[in-house]
Amino acid sequence: MTAALLPTALPTAFEAVKVDYAAVAPMLIVVAAALVGVLVEAFAPRLRRHAIQVGLTLAALVVAFAVLVLVSVDNQGVTVGGSIVVDGPALFMQGSLLIFAVLGILTMSERFGGRSADAFTPMGAATPGSPAEAAADRAGYATSEAFPLTMFAVFGMLMFVSANDLITMFVALEVLSLPLYVLTGLARRRRLLSQEASLKYFLLGAFSSAFFLFGAALLYGYAGSSDLSKIATAITTANGDLEGLLLPGVVLTLVGLLFKIGAVPFHSWTPDAYQGAPSPVTGFMAAATKLAAFGAILRLAYVGLEASRLEWRLGVAAVAVLTMVVGAVLSVTQTDIKRLLAYSSVAHAGFILVGVLAFDVTGVSGVMFYLVAYGLATIAAFAIVALVRSGGSEATHLSQWAGLGRKHPVVAGIFALLLLAFAGIPLTSGFTAKFAAFAPAIAHGGLAGIVMVVVGVLASAVTAFVYFRLIVLMYFTEPTGDEVAALTPSIASTIAITVGALGTVILGVVPGPILDLAGRVSQFIQ
């Protein structure tokens, strides 16, 4: 080999990546607990696994939240070689995710007097309705691995909202998605529907990941780096040579993220996955995944792509309008409570996108407040859905909820409160959240922002009809012939439902402290 072919300069020494362990400690605690949970599955006695997993998971989440509040807030900055950034929005959303995870684990741990979690099948690998599944149930088998799987998903979500480059964002996207694909297929009842939902979610999720990765590759080709701040610099200093890579890269990357929030036309997985998954998993997925995905969208749009927003903002605004309209209109036609809440979730994704497109710090704080309010109400709502039973299975058909307010006034009353919050009725968190998301769009979004808000208000009116129809069904309609009853929840589920209901009321009546907190921490580190 000639000297001309040799590199002109070789690195003198390997440089280790600098890691601020105090900043990333909450993530490390969560992933460590997930790994310990895997060891528990391997070595702990079968009959004790459920209690060990629930205790381990809840303890780890509480410790991670305490460390985040007491330690990580004082160690903000860019770390792990620039791939992770711990700033105000990241900390706010990580804290919210940990709270959602605690509430989700509490609902997933519900046993209703059985030996294992009631929501999960005793053997996920068994054919639905087969002798093997019945034998597993008699033997006391339990899919307690659902808890470490949930912790892996939480770890991915924590990383997703703090990812500072596209490669880290993609890794976090896969880490949070893969456990959710599995959890979706582990429902104890209606197993074929659950497995079908899991397969659909997986296949469409794989497509969306491919779109994201292809878009990331184009942006890397455009900027020469996957770092969001360097992409932003490349956009502002571009000479036009590689301009053809920018817009396709932005579009494909956003498609991958819009899929995770269930935006139209990337929403087709949402009703099937929500209906087929165990109800506690659906609640956790609806709240936490939406928050994590919007956290990534905010960081990508405000840190990496803001300088080019004039090229793609109207396209995303069209997606937001379409999402609100389709989610609201299709929710009217639903006869299954879980599919109704799924299309409601689609409409809410459109409402939140309105705040994202304001491109102002008030939009960031409004979106973060909306995500917290929506998440608390959603987890509580699906926990109540898991309580209402007919013949041992969840009573998900709307007709089965007729007269529920007479037989179980407390359960129906709390559910009615949550529906009022989804509708955006004053003195509930939903009203404050919609105002916090829509006001910045009117103030800073120009004509497009005003159009989106008008469509949002009209779509809210349509969804309000759906929610009020359900309330009328519960209180003013005679019960059907089905024997429908609301089971008595354990302390764990009671805590989750109570926190969700109280949060809905407090964030509607006294939203100031959380709104102020969101406003103080809404500035991204560039």
Side-chain angles (χ1 to χ4, degrees), residues 117-416:
D118 177 78
F120 299 106
T121 178
M123 180 181 285
T127 303
S130 66
E133 187 176 57
D137 194 21
R138 289 194 302 271
Y141 284 23
T143 48
S144 50
E145 63 267 24
F147 299 103
L149 283 172
T150 303
M151 291 296 276
F152 280 119
V154 173
F155 168 64
M157 293 171 187
L158 297 177
M159 186 163 56
F160 203 34
V161 298
S162 58
N164 196 45
D165 72 67
L166 296 175
I167 301 303
T168 304
M169 199 173 285
F170 174 74
V171 172
L173 175 63
E174 295 305 295
V175 172
L176 77 88
S177 297
L178 292 174
L180 293 178
Y181 300 151
V182 177
L183 290 170
T184 300
L186 293 180
R188 180 182 292 268
R189 300 163 188 87
R190 296 198 287 184
R191 295 276 293 116
L192 287 176
L193 184 67
S194 178
Q195 291 183 350
E196 177 188 352
S198 177
L199 184 60
K200 287 180 179 178
Y201 191 15
F202 168 70
L203 291 176
L204 293 175
F207 277 116
S208 74
S209 296
F211 278 117
F212 181 91
L213 198 56
F214 192 17
L218 292 178
L219 289 177
Y220 177 82
Y222 173 80
S225 173
S226 62
D227 187 278
L228 295 183
S229 59
K230 293 181 180 178
I231 292 174
T233 302
I235 292 172
T236 56
T237 61
N239 57 16
D241 291 343
L242 298 173
E243 203 66 27
L245 297 178
L246 177 59
L247 187 57
V250 171
V251 170
L252 291 172
T253 305
L254 287 176
V255 165
L257 296 178
L258 291 172
F259 170 88
K260 299 307 294 185
I261 65 172
V264 176
F266 318 110
H267 70 292
S268 58
W269 65 274
T270 309
D272 293 326
Y274 280 32
Q275 184 183 22
S279 292
V281 173
T282 304
F284 170 73
M285 188 166 60
T289 305
K290 195 175 295 294
L291 189 151
F294 269 110
I297 289 174
L298 282 171
R299 189 170 300 280
L300 179 65
Y302 280 68
V303 176
L305 306 177
E306 185 176 10
S308 66
R309 67 180 184 273
L310 295 180
E311 299 182 38
W312 51 267
R313 181 172 177 265
L314 288 180
V316 180
V319 169
V321 169
L322 196 61
T323 301
M324 290 184 284
V325 171
V326 171
V329 172
L330 291 185
S331 65
V332 176
T333 65
Q334 301 307 307
T335 58
D336 185 277
I337 186 69
K338 294 174 76 173
R339 292 183 73 89
L340 187 153
L341 292 175
Y343 281 107
S344 168
S345 170
V346 171
H348 282 286
F351 300 150
I352 300 171
L353 272 177
V354 174
V356 172
L357 294 174
F359 282 100
D360 187 78
V361 291
T362 56
V364 176
S365 61
V367 166
M368 292 194 299
F369 180 87
Y370 199 125
L371 291 167
V372 171
Y374 173 77
L376 291 175
T378 299
I379 292 175
F382 280 102
I384 290 177
V385 170
L387 299 180
V388 182
R389 299 297 177 90
S390 174
S393 297
E394 292 177 356
T396 59
H397 197 279
L398 291 185
S399 63
Q400 295 175 305
W401 288 63
L404 187 69
R406 303 179 188 180
K407 295 185 290 185
H408 301 282
V410 175
V411 171
I414 295 175
F415 196 72

Side-chain angles (χ1 to χ4, degrees), residues 397-408 472-485:
H397 197 279
L398 291 185
S399 63
Q400 295 175 305
W401 288 63
L404 187 69
R406 303 179 188 180
K407 295 185 290 185
H408 301 282
V472 169
L473 188 69
M474 290 192 295
Y475 283 97
F476 304 106
T477 306
E478 290 296 326
T480 62
D482 295 338
E483 289 295 327
V484 178

